[in-house]
């Protein structure tokens, strides 16, 4: 029984770690325009849509 609990605990820990990494990555993408260090800021989403659609 202890082997099953240990496996579940390890898998649970791995799943939690992956979830934290994914959530952190999504948050980083969302806040990147605010912390963009380049002199010419990255294009905004609206500008990118206009370039992609050609309007």
């Amino acid at each position: 029984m202890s082997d099953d609990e240990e496996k579940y605990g390890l898998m649970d820990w791995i799943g939690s770690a992956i979830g934290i990494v994914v959530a952190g990555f999504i948050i980083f993408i969302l806040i990147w325009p605010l912390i963009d260090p380049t002199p010419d800021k990255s294009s905004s989403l609206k500008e990118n849509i206009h370039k992609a659609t050609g309007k």
Side-chain angles (χ1 to χ4, degrees):
M1 189 73 175
S2 64
D3 288 341
D4 290 340
E5 289 176 7
E6 189 175 327
K7 281 184 180 178
Y8 178 73
L10 180 64
M11 293 302 289
D12 194 35
W13 186 89
I14 291 171
S16 297
I18 291 171
I20 290 168
V21 169
V22 169
F25 187 67
I26 291 169
I27 291 169
F28 177 75
I29 289 171
L30 292 175
I31 66 170
W32 177 249
L34 301 176
I35 60 171
D36 189 359
T38 56
D40 300 330
K41 297 286 185 188
S42 297
S43 300
S44 70
L45 186 59
K46 190 180 285 187
E47 291 170 354
N48 287 340
I49 292 171
H50 285 299
K51 287 179 186 175
T53 58
K55 294 182 181 178

